[in-house]
Amino acid sequence: MKIQHHPLLQSVLAVLLITVTAIAQAAERQLEIISLQHHQAEELLPSLQPFVDKQGVISAKGNQLIIRTSDQNLEEIKTLIKRLDQPIKRLLIEVKQPLTSSRHDHGTGISGNISLPDKNSQTRLRTSSTSSRDTAASDQKIQVLEGHTALIKTGQLVPMAKKQLRSGGQVETIIEQQDVSTGFKVRPRLNGDIVMLEIMPFSASQASTGGGVINQQQAFTTISVKLGEWIEITGISSSQQQNDRGTVYKTHERNQMQRQVLIRVTEQ
């Protein structure tokens, strides 16, 4: 006797099998709410998410982490949370900005006189050369809690004239103070004796076209360094040359400038 398998019955059985398997797997995954002692849950979430199983779920609310995953993975996540949920440390950020400028001038000229009627002449070739070198440094210190952002900047407030339309159709000119500064924001995070620094440099300057326009630039980078070690986060160098030539003289001028920004983080 042959048993015929109905296609519809086979489909129903397959769906039931998949459903029962999914229910069984869901039952194996535990839901747990873990309260943190020293951090907000959102602060640790980016560090924990890569370690959650593909079928697992983790979310954050206030100081609580809500986790649904397998028993084995849950224990791994708990171990990681204990390592990360440590008391927030107070850090000291030091910034040095040494500036070196140099100037070199060189000139060559011919001077003399011609006497008549015998046309005797005397000429002299004169050369001169001068060099100068100046150094300056700007040091800044600021305390910040681990995981929080510190702002370090230098600049000035520049008065800018702007026109605005008042009620009644009258136009008036007002003076506003515009912040024209250069600096960076930095957020330190500790991992043992290694500091991860999220650095967001920015700069603002008046546009050459005028009219109260401010040019702004921003960037973002992440670097790592050992606690207590200096690291250069940026360096700027520029060079200008100018030549002047006449009938009996020639001059050459060269100006160079180099600025560094060094940063160090120590634990307080």
Side-chain angles (χ1 to χ4, degrees), residues 45 63 67 71 95 137 147-150 154 212 215-216 221 253 262:
L45 193 60
N63 71 325
I67 308 170
D71 290 343
V95 178
H148 290 67
T149 301
T154 58
N215 293 326
Q216 295 183 336
T221 187
E253 177 183 321
L262 308 173

Side-chain angles (χ1 to χ4, degrees), residues 197-214:
L197 296 174
E198 297 176 0
I199 300 175
M200 295 150 277
F202 62 87
S203 65
S205 59
Q206 293 178 265
S208 58
T209 55
V213 177
I214 302 295

